[in-house]
Amino acid sequence: MHQQKVVEMQQIAMKYQSESGEIEAVREVSFSVYEGEFVSIVGPSGCGKSTLLSIIAGLTKPSSGQVTLLGEPVVRGARSVGYMLQKDHLFEWRTIEQNTLLGLEVRRDLTPETRAYAQELLKTYDLWAFKDSYPRELSGGMRQRAALIRTLATRPSILLLDEAFSALDYQTRLSVTEDIHDIIKQVGATAILVTHDISESIALSDRVLVLSARPAELRAVHHIDMAGLSSRQRRDHPEFRSYFNLVRKELGLNGKS
């Protein structure tokens, strides 16, 4: 059983003011994420998936409801939150090693111990040979791996992945998602992934949360019973297609992923 509740969202609602009036983006969404768990959030485009991540990160304040991180109210810029976006945002003038140390530098937490941890991550995940290279010299997949190591180097309590792989071509994306799934599981990180890709959510997650169209409501929660399998093994598993068809139906899609 999962032990510690890392994130808890209670009755989260989000409304925006626009020129045409009030827009309801999120309606009464509640869920929890536990230590070491990988959770994906899927839903129609524009339904508020990324808004939920912004709320968890403390970047956006909900109109109502409460979100806690390790039992405490979320605050903007919380050190315990790691955020990884669609673009890797590596600085082209810094080497790969220098990029992976950036988060530690910003937090003024670069010590011999934290530097050694970042270097160990580079060695473990096959980027040490490229530590003195610049981002432009790496493939898209390697850049995303470097971005993940930069985020993990700060030892966040929760890792937020906002469409983190969608800029990659299909073959690279399959390879990178497998790598990153393995890294996250090996370091025991807790992660929430927002994705529009149903297959990706099933291949990576312990649970998949399905949102409705805007205003987003939590339509269903699926426990993916394929623990211990790699993302590639999951895609070949007999149950994979059943999960896929179930989520696709809930999203109102016909043959689309």
Side-chain angles (χ1 to χ4, degrees), residues 120-132:
E120 190 60 35
L121 290 172
L122 286 169
K123 292 172 184 176
T124 302
Y125 302 113
D126 301 324
L127 282 178
W128 184 249
F130 303 93
K131 68 183 179 67
D132 296 321

Side-chain angles (χ1 to χ4, degrees), residues 108-126:
R108 298 183 180 178
D109 194 27
L110 184 57
T111 66
E113 291 76 20
T114 59
R115 182 189 294 271
Y117 179 63
Q119 291 174 338
E120 190 60 35
L121 290 172
L122 286 169
K123 292 172 184 176
T124 302
Y125 302 113
D126 301 324

Side-chain angles (χ1 to χ4, degrees), residues 60-233:
T60 301
K61 187 174 181 179
S63 302
S64 62
Q66 183 181 32
V67 55
T68 57
L69 185 59
L70 298 173
E72 299 292 331
V74 165
V75 295
R76 187 180 181 89
R79 295 171 64 88
S80 51
V81 176
Y83 217 134
M84 191 170 164
L85 302 169
Q86 179 178 345
K87 294 183 179 179
D88 56 60
H89 294 289
L90 298 177
F91 288 133
E92 296 294 341
W93 61 89
R94 294 177 68 114
T95 66
I96 294 305
E97 182 178 12
Q98 289 168 344
N99 267 288
T100 59
L101 298 175
L102 183 61
L104 294 167
E105 291 174 14
V106 169
R107 296 180 183 208
R108 298 183 180 178
D109 194 27
L110 184 57
T111 66
E113 291 76 20
T114 59
R115 182 189 294 271
Y117 179 63
Q119 291 174 338
E120 190 60 35
L121 290 172
L122 286 169
K123 292 172 184 176
T124 302
Y125 302 113
D126 301 324
L127 282 178
W128 184 249
F130 303 93
K131 68 183 179 67
D132 296 321
S133 301
Y134 290 89
R136 63 181 175 273
E137 300 175 285
L138 270 60
S139 67
M142 294 170 74
R143 290 176 64 120
Q144 282 298 82
R145 227 185 308 159
L148 177 65
I149 290 172
R150 177 187 59 197
T151 306
L152 292 177
T154 63
R155 300 179 190 262
S157 299
I158 184 71
L159 178 62
L160 306 178
L161 306 166
D162 193 355
E163 298 280 8
F165 318 116
S166 59
L168 304 173
D169 65 79
Y170 180 72
Q171 288 300 326
T172 302
R173 184 169 179 160
L174 287 178
S175 175
V176 170
T177 53
E178 180 157 15
D179 286 346
I180 287 181
H181 176 263
D182 290 347
I183 291 170
I184 288 172
K185 286 299 182 183
Q186 286 168 17
V187 302
T190 307
I192 303 176
L193 168 70
V194 157
T195 180
H196 66 273
D197 189 317
I198 300 171
S199 297
E200 185 172 86
S201 70
I202 298 166
L204 299 177
S205 308
D206 301 304
R207 283 188 295 147
V208 176
L209 311 184
V210 183
L211 299 182
S212 68
R214 193 174 69 191
E217 296 181 280
L218 187 57
R219 177 172 285 178
V221 178
H222 298 288
H223 294 263
I224 308 301
D225 189 19
M226 290 189 277
L229 299 181
S230 70
S231 63
R232 193 177 302 270
Q233 290 170 328

